Amino acid sequence: MDGWIKLHRKIIESTIWDKPPLYLKVWMYLLISAQHAQYKGLKRGQISTSIPDIIEACKWHVGARVERPTKDQVYQVLSFLRKPDGGGHESDTEATMIATTKATHGMLVEVLNYSVYQDSREDESNDESNDETDTKPAREQRQPNNINKNVKNDKNEQEKELKKSSSQKNAKRVYFEDDRVYKLAKRFHELAYENALQLGTSHLIKEPNFQNWADTFRLILERDKIPEVELGEVIKYGLNENFYRTIIFSPTNLREHYPKILTHMRAQQQTKRTGNTPSGKPKLEITTNAGAESVSSEEYELAMQRAREMKAAREREQKEAKYR
């Protein structure tokens, strides 16, 4: 990798300077890796990268041991850089630093105001006089004709990347902490952990992959078309119900058993309201969950219909997966 970028002295006055060292390291990596000119589909100031790429580029050594930032740490840094009040250019702490776009393989990052860091025409005026005066004229920067100095020249590798499927259908999405499905994943983990503490099984709860969890909640909301209010109700019920609380440890388990949990919840709510089973026959010695609200017959039938639709959708999804 060849070339240069400019670094403003006022970086020590910016918001990012007060953050942990990883924030500045990721920011420097994006600045240095960004295209200085348009090249093979990437515009000036853009970089095609991924979370694993950033993790590998920002690793560090502690003696003979190699330490790497976690995915969540990298997401936090990117979220900070994307916010309007995230720190901006070092001389303008209110500007946005980057914009990100989900891509088929990883993400597309654009360094906003990239010319500030690259163009020699944007040189800062040195208001603080120095003892030494440089009287030599600035040397004109040489611009390559058709190759970027910041990109590897391995054409085979570039061609392999370009030949990869551009289908957005199979693209792996990246979720940030302010995404609603990521928040759902975090909240579910909190509730599941509290449930495990009550059961004395907290040692079985492992640190989740919040990206996978967030994607499962996206499927529940978008593909299964589950209302978010109902989803929250089912989660609370399932984690308090004597049987389901022992088998729901992840959003995948929740999605798998969702039709049964919803139907069971509606049935108990209807029984509490009428004292009868959905068929109209009396049911004796029924025990309902505390806090369960009563529902009408129409709501119960709606829950049954949704359960059937979810089952059919899951079967279609499994068939499609076989032919991918």
Side-chain angles (χ1 to χ4, degrees):
M1 185 176 290
D2 195 8
W4 52 268
I5 61 169
K6 294 191 306 182
L7 192 64
H8 203 287
R9 289 192 181 103
K10 287 187 177 181
I11 191 173
I12 63 174
E13 300 175 8
S14 66
T15 308
I16 198 172
W17 192 261
D18 297 326
K19 290 289 185 178
L22 180 62
Y23 284 68
L24 193 59
K25 192 167 186 176
V26 172
W27 175 228
M28 290 298 99
Y29 164 72
L30 296 176
L31 284 179
I32 294 170
S33 303
Q35 296 292 118
H36 90 291
Q38 184 170 341
Y39 182 73
K40 288 194 174 183
L42 292 177
K43 299 180 181 179
R44 176 180 172 85
Q46 291 183 335
I47 171 176
S48 178
T49 186
S50 65
I51 298 300
D53 288 342
I54 297 175
I55 290 175
E56 190 64 22
C58 296
K59 65 184 178 183
W60 65 93
H61 293 266
V62 180
R65 187 176 74 255
V66 178
E67 296 287 343
R68 290 178 173 81
T70 65
K71 289 183 180 180
D72 282 345
Q73 288 174 330
V74 173
Y75 293 137
Q76 290 173 3
V77 175
L78 294 177
S79 295
F80 168 82
L81 296 176
R82 290 167 58 234
K83 293 179 181 177
D85 59 347
H89 173 243
E90 294 90 18
S91 62
D92 181 5
T93 57
E94 297 301 323
T96 302
M97 303 173 80
I98 65 171
T100 59
T101 305
K102 297 169 184 176
T104 304
H105 306 285
M107 70 180 76
L108 179 67
V109 179
E110 180 180 1
V111 176
L112 305 180
N113 300 321
Y114 178 75
S115 295
V116 176
Y117 304 96
Q118 185 71 32
D119 286 350
S120 58
R121 296 185 296 274
E122 298 288 342
D123 284 339
E124 63 170 305
S125 58
N126 191 352
D127 296 331
E128 300 174 5
S129 60
N130 295 326
D131 294 334
E132 298 181 8
T133 303
D134 188 0
T135 59
K136 296 181 181 180
R139 184 171 59 185
E140 182 178 358
Q141 180 185 3
R142 291 183 298 173
Q143 299 289 344
N145 293 327
N146 58 2
I147 191 165
N148 191 300
K149 59 190 177 184
N150 293 331
V151 179
K152 295 180 181 179
N153 296 325
D154 189 344
K155 293 183 179 180
N156 291 332
E157 182 178 345
Q158 292 284 353
E159 291 175 359
K160 288 179 182 179
E161 290 297 326
L162 292 174
K163 288 179 181 179
K164 289 181 179 179
S165 172
S166 60
S167 174
Q168 293 298 321
K169 181 178 179 180
N170 296 325
K172 185 175 182 180
R173 303 196 182 190
V174 177
Y175 303 95
F176 297 94
E177 288 193 341
D178 54 351
D179 292 333
R180 66 168 183 166
V181 289
Y182 192 94
K183 292 179 179 178
L184 279 172
K186 296 283 286 188
R187 182 55 180 160
F188 182 88
H189 179 253
E190 294 173 359
L191 293 174
Y193 189 77
E194 291 176 3
N195 178 51
L197 284 176
Q198 296 176 5
L199 296 174
T201 59
S202 58
H203 61 286
L204 299 178
I205 302 296
K206 298 180 180 179
E207 185 65 22
N209 184 324
F210 285 115
Q211 287 298 303
N212 292 342
W213 281 27
D215 194 62
T216 301
F217 275 118
R218 178 189 65 81
L219 293 174
I220 292 175
L221 294 174
E222 296 180 3
R223 184 170 296 181
D224 299 340
K225 302 187 183 304
I226 300 301
E228 190 168 346
V229 174
E230 179 189 279
L231 176 60
E233 186 181 3
V234 168
I235 290 175
K236 291 180 180 178
Y237 177 86
L239 291 176
N240 283 281
E241 203 275 334
N242 291 334
F243 172 72
Y244 289 113
R245 69 186 303 194
T246 64
I247 61 174
I248 301 176
F249 298 102
S250 70
T252 301
N253 300 137
L254 174 67
R255 190 184 183 206
E256 178 183 356
H257 296 285
Y258 192 95
K260 296 178 182 178
I261 300 174
L262 176 63
T263 304
H264 191 265
M265 180 182 72
R266 294 303 190 207
Q268 288 210 358
Q269 290 172 342
Q270 188 184 52
T271 300
K272 181 180 180 181
R273 183 176 67 86
T274 63
N276 296 329
T277 61
S279 62
K281 298 178 182 180
K283 180 167 179 141
L284 303 178
E285 300 181 358
I286 181 77
T287 302
T288 60
N289 283 6
E293 298 177 357
S294 60
V295 295
S296 63
S297 300
E298 291 77 9
E299 290 176 308
Y300 176 79
E301 291 301 327
L302 181 62
M304 293 291 292
Q305 177 64 25
R306 185 174 292 117
R308 289 191 290 268
E309 292 174 354
M310 284 186 64
K311 182 179 179 181
R314 290 294 299 277
E315 291 176 351
R316 289 195 300 270
E317 184 179 327
Q318 291 173 356
K319 290 181 180 178
E320 291 174 0
K322 292 182 180 179
Y323 298 99
R324 287 180 183 173

